Every structure is written in C-alpha cells, then in structure tokens.
C-alpha cells in the first residue's frame, strides 16, 4: 500500500491553502462537494493509490476549513488566522532545523568517530552483556564525555544504578577493514538473536533445566559468537574467549545473549519433535553428557493452534463493545467475517492455558488504554489527519491486535505472515499504536 509522508501531506495542504485564500464559506463548500464531499469511501478499491490518498487529504482539509469558517463565522478564509496551518508550518520548520543541525554536526565531527563498549556489571540484569555506542569527538575523552552525558543521567545505563561500565574506547575509521568485519559479525549475530527469539516465542519450555541451558549457552557462544579468541573485535576476558574448555574447577563457562537464544531454540526444537536432551551430570570433577532420547509427546503441540469459535465470538464481542464506545460505529456497520479472521489470528498468540481468561484480560487492557484508542481513532479514523492510511482501523478486531502488539509482537508477526496477511498492514498498525498515540501526539 502507498502512504504519504509528512513532506508530501504538508505540500498538498499548502497548495490547498493558497487556492482557497480569500474565498467565502460558500465557495469552499462548493469545492468540498466537487472533491467528493461527505461521500462514503468504504467502497474505494484497496490498496489506495497515491492519487486516492492525495484526494483524501484534499477532501479532509476542505472539510476542516469549511467547519472552521462556519463555526467561527469567517467571511473569507486566511491561512494566517488558521491555528492548524500555523502548527503545521511550525512543525515543518522544526523538522528542517533538526535535519539541518544533524547534518552540520556530522560534517563538523566526522574526522573522529569512536566506538565505546560497555560491559554489564550485574549478571542478573536482563540486558545485553555488552553494549556498543558510537560518538563523534576530537578526542577519546570528548567522545566518551558525550556518551556519558547522554547515558549517565539518573536511571540511565551508566547512572546511579551502575548497570554498565565502559571497558573499551577506540577510534572507528569508516574505511577500516577491521570495522567492516566487526560490523558484519554483529549484523550476523543480531540476525541469529532475532530469528531464534522470534521462533521460540510462544514455544518456550515451561521449566528448562538451568544447568543444561547454561551448558548449551556456553557451547553456542564458543562455537558461533566468539569462535576465535584472536579475531579482532570486542571479547570477554581472555580465559573465556577460547573455544576449548577445562575440566578443572571452577569450570569457567562463556555466556552471551545469542548463545542463550540458540540454546533455548535448540531445546524448543527438540521439544517440538518429542525429543529430550538430558542435563549433564558431573561425575567427580568431569561433566558427562547424556545422549539424546525420544518418546514423549511435545509439550507445545497445542500452542499456536486455532481457537474455538466460542472464544473467537467472546473476544470479538469485547472488541465490538469498546470499538463502538470509541468510534460510535455499531456492529452492523463493520465486516464481521474479516473481524473474526483477525481475532482468530490474534488468539493463536495467546497460550492455551491463558485463553479462557483472555476475554477478561483484554477487556481490562482496553479499559486501561481507552485514551490511547481514542487518539488512534482521532488521527486515523475517517475524519482524522491521516484518514485512509490505516486499513485495520475500520475493523473492531484492530483493538485485540493492539493488545497483542504490546504483549507478544514477534509471535504475532510470525503468525500474521504464516496466515498470508500483508505484512505492511500490520506494520503500519504497530507503528501507529506504539509511536503515534502518546499524550504528546494527541491533537
């Protein structure tokens, strides 16, 4: 589907303002009617073209101007007296200033780019073991000061809790071969971590053996994450960054986030096929691995399956009640079959043990987020600034998708793709719900 960016919408509105300057309310009403007026656009073909979206912007802007003039009793239209025009122009100026300032800063400081690596101080903290930040400066001290200023505030990574400490600061030349190799390795590890996490989401073992997970984490970290202690880049302490292991106490293990993700992925994979991997048991001072066995059913066979028709109807009823309260649209005005299909997809990302209670859980969630739902409708509904840009807003099932986006986004994306739904449709709803419904964004 096509969508209009901020710049294109701003240009379209500016063109309309120039066109109607000095016109009377009656003349503007005639333009609105000629542009489609208050017609019902639900029968428009999908996806909408750029021309359709520009036409929608024109209709909505003419309607807004006509309403403003009618309510305030204007004799003729003037953009200088229009508060929304002033706000849009101010936003455009701020946007251009930010982009200009960022470009100037990069231009001035591009001579020295530094990589600042911090290590987690608390092993119980759920964050990454290592964090990397980049900063421009004329010296190591200047670059480090910039990062600390940004992250050392109360609650920050280097703040009063002391979650991370800087362990390495090096100049990062854009042409450095070592830098290119390191970035390629990090992208590869990021892909491993994201894919393994997305695959395991919703299929986790209920109570995996901690020692077994630790051993597998150690293996994958040595074999995949840090296979060569002499490879350039950031490494843990020297005695950990070797592929070999030792039988002497304290049996030092090498852990990493990608290694743990792969460990859990392996256990979930074996569990899916009804296999088990026995935990290693120490005999004296040496660990002895136990063989793979088989024969028990998968503990996750039922996860991700279709929900019952009765549960789908209960969840759709909850969505419908809140949707009607937010939008004023009754159930006989929306597509029931499409809504049931979307509710079924959403329910596949709810654990089987939690499904019976899910309608009440969803009802509570929607009550707590009523203000955000109203802002979502106000911005993307038929009378909103971004009307026509969010297809799912026309269905009450979008409310349960919002809850799932908050609760289980990766699992939802996986099921959505498996069911053959258009990825960009869900992506737009996700971006709108997460980043465009805050109080500071509401108008």
């Amino acid at each position: 589907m096509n969508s209009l960016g901020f710049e294109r919408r701003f240009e379209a509105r500016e063109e309309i303002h120039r066109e109607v300057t000095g016109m009377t309310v009656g003349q503007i009403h005639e333009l609105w009617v000629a542009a489609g007026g208050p017609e019902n656009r639900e029968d428009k073909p999908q996806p909408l073209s750029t021309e359709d979206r520009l036409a929608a912007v024109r209709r909505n802007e003419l309607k807004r101007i006509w309403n403003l003039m009618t309510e305030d009793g204007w004799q003729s239209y003037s953009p200088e007296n229009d508060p929304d025009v002033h706000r849009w122009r101010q936003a455009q100026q701020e946007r251009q200033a930010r982009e200009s300032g960022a470009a100037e800063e990069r231009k001035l400081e591009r001579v020295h780019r530094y990589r600042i690596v911090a290590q987690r101080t608390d092993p119980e903290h759920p964050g990454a073991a290592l964090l990397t930040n980049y900063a421009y400066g004329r010296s190591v001290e200047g670059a480090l000061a910039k990062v600390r200023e940004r992250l050392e505030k109360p609650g920050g990574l280097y703040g009063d809790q002391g979650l991370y400490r800087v362990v390495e600061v090096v100049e990062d030349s854009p042409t450095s071969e070592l830098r290119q190799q390191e970035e390629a390795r990090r992208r590869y590890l990021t892909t491993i971590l994201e894919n393994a996490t997305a695959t395991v989401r919703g299929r986790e073992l209920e109570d995996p053996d901690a020692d077994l997970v630790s051993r597998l984490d150690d293996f994958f970290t040595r074999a995949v994450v840090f296979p060569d202690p002499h490879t350039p880049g950031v490494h843990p302490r020297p005695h950990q960054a070797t592929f070999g292991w030792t039988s002497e106490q304290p049996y030092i293990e090498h852990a990493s986030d990608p290694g743990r993700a792969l460990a859990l992925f392996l256990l979930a994979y074996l569990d899916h096929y009804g296999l088990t991997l026995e935990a290693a048991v120490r005999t004296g001072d040496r660990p002895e691995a136990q063989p793979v066995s088989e024969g028990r059913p998968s503990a996750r066979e039922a996860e991700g399956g279709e929900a019952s028709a009765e549960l789908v109807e209960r969840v759709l009823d909850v969505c419908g009640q809140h949707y009607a309260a937010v939008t004023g649209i009754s159930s006989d005005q929306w597509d029931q079959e499409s809504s049931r299909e979307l509710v079924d997809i959403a329910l596949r990302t709810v654990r089987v043990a939690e499904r019976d209670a899910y309608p009440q859980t969803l009802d509570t969630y929607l009550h707590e987020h009523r203000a955000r739902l109203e802002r979502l409708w106000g911005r993307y509904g038929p009378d909103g600034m971004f009307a026509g840009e969010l297809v799912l807003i026309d269905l009450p099932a979008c409310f349960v998708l919002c809850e799932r986006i908050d609760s289980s986004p990766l699992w939802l994306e996986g099921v959505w793709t498996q069911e053959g739904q258009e990825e960009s449709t869900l992506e737009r709803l996700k971006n709108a719900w997460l980043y465009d419904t805050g109080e500071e964004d509401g108008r």
Side-chain angles (χ1 to χ4, degrees):
M1 295 185 183
N2 295 324
S3 63
L4 298 176
F6 177 92
E7 296 287 344
R8 191 66 186 91
R9 286 195 300 270
F10 179 85
E11 293 171 359
R13 291 193 180 98
E14 283 290 283
E15 183 178 346
I16 295 170
H17 300 153
R18 289 192 294 269
E19 177 184 353
V20 302
T21 296
M23 285 188 177
T24 65
V25 66
Q27 291 172 325
I28 291 177
H29 186 268
E30 290 177 1
L31 288 179
W32 177 35
V33 172
E39 67 174 354
N40 187 334
R41 302 196 301 280
E42 292 180 356
D43 58 347
K44 286 290 184 183
Q46 299 292 335
L48 296 176
S49 66
T50 300
E51 291 73 21
D52 291 332
R53 296 184 182 279
L54 286 172
V57 171
R58 179 176 178 80
R59 282 194 299 269
N60 290 336
E61 187 59 9
L62 289 172
K63 177 184 178 182
R64 185 193 67 79
I65 293 173
W66 179 74
N67 286 333
L68 175 66
M69 295 180 67
T70 302
E71 293 171 0
D72 294 348
W74 290 12
Q75 296 301 314
S76 62
Y77 179 74
S78 172
E80 287 71 26
N81 297 327
D82 190 332
D84 280 340
V85 172
H86 174 72
R87 177 168 58 82
W88 290 329
R89 289 177 178 174
Q90 188 177 39
Q92 172 74 348
Q93 293 171 357
E94 292 173 354
R95 183 188 183 95
Q96 292 174 345
R98 286 196 303 270
E99 293 175 351
S100 175
E104 187 66 20
E105 182 179 359
R106 287 193 298 270
K107 180 179 179 181
L108 292 174
E109 299 184 336
R110 190 170 294 168
V111 177
H112 300 289
R113 183 175 188 261
Y114 294 91
R115 183 176 69 244
I116 296 92
V117 181
Q119 188 174 53
R120 185 177 60 195
T121 57
D122 181 6
E124 300 300 324
H125 178 61
L130 292 173
L131 289 180
T132 302
N133 289 281
Y134 294 90
Y136 293 93
R138 299 189 179 281
S139 65
V140 170
E141 293 77 11
L144 183 57
K146 280 192 173 184
V147 172
R148 287 195 178 280
E149 181 180 2
R150 188 168 70 247
L151 301 176
E152 205 169 24
K153 54 189 176 183
L157 296 180
Y158 306 150
D160 50 2
Q161 299 181 40
L163 298 179
Y164 289 85
R165 61 183 180 86
V166 174
V167 295
E168 182 179 56
V169 182
V170 295
E171 185 176 343
D172 198 49
S173 170
T175 60
S176 169
E177 180 180 356
L178 297 182
R179 173 190 169 186
Q180 295 174 6
Q181 292 177 350
E182 178 67 10
E183 288 182 345
R185 187 183 73 85
R186 289 180 180 278
R187 287 195 298 270
Y188 174 66
L189 292 176
T190 298
T191 300
I192 289 177
L193 181 60
E194 291 178 347
N195 289 343
T197 302
T199 303
V200 173
R201 183 66 60 87
R203 300 182 175 90
E204 302 93 337
L205 296 180
E206 293 181 359
D207 187 23
D209 183 277
D211 185 62
L212 181 56
V213 171
S214 179
R215 298 294 178 81
L216 292 175
D217 182 358
D218 178 63
F219 169 76
F220 284 117
T221 299
R222 297 175 189 276
V224 179
V225 184
F226 296 113
D228 184 356
H230 305 294
T231 299
V234 179
H235 293 287
R237 293 185 297 276
H239 65 270
Q240 291 181 307
T242 58
F243 185 76
W245 53 85
T246 176
S247 59
E248 291 82 18
Q249 293 184 355
Y251 308 108
I252 294 171
E253 293 181 349
H254 186 183
S256 68
D257 291 334
R260 179 175 175 79
L262 286 172
L264 295 174
F265 177 35
L266 174 60
L267 293 178
Y269 179 86
L270 295 174
D271 182 71
H272 178 74
Y273 288 101
L275 303 172
T276 60
L277 188 63
E278 299 292 339
V281 179
R282 296 188 186 281
T283 302
D285 286 338
R286 295 186 61 83
E288 297 293 339
Q290 300 299 318
V292 173
S293 62
E294 58 181 322
R296 70 177 181 85
S298 172
R300 296 292 178 193
E301 286 179 352
E303 298 289 5
E306 293 185 8
S308 67
E310 185 268 340
L311 180 58
V312 170
E313 292 300 326
R314 288 173 59 198
V315 171
L316 181 57
D317 182 60
V318 172
C319 291
Q321 293 177 26
H322 287 271
Y323 190 75
V326 170
T327 67
I329 300 177
S330 58
S331 61
D332 57 353
Q333 295 178 271
W334 62 62
D335 187 337
Q336 297 281 349
E337 192 58 37
S338 295
S339 289
R340 289 189 182 91
E341 181 181 359
L342 295 182
V343 169
D344 179 65
I345 290 175
L347 286 173
R348 291 173 188 238
T349 67
V350 179
R351 295 177 182 276
V352 173
E354 300 171 356
R355 289 183 179 179
D356 287 343
Y358 183 69
Q360 181 59 49
T361 301
L362 176 63
D363 183 64
T364 301
Y365 174 88
L366 296 180
H367 272 297
E368 293 175 350
H369 294 80
R370 171 63 60 83
R372 286 181 66 192
L373 294 169
E374 291 174 347
R375 286 193 285 271
L376 183 70
W377 176 256
R379 294 175 72 84
Y380 292 92
D383 296 327
M385 184 183 300
F386 308 115
E389 296 194 10
L390 203 61
V391 176
L392 294 174
I393 198 70
D394 295 330
L395 298 172
C398 72
F399 282 12
V400 68
L401 293 176
C402 288
E403 189 280 328
R404 290 287 85 197
I405 287 170
D406 271 346
S407 301
S408 190
L410 294 179
W411 195 1
L412 177 62
E413 290 172 9
V415 175
W416 187 269
T417 302
Q418 290 172 7
E419 293 300 311
Q421 300 290 328
E422 187 175 358
E423 295 181 21
S424 61
T425 304
L426 179 64
E427 184 68 19
R428 287 196 183 96
L429 176 63
K430 176 183 175 182
N431 290 335
W433 180 242
L434 295 179
Y435 310 119
D436 207 18
T437 57
E439 291 185 7
E440 65 277 8
D441 296 319
R443 303 295 183 193

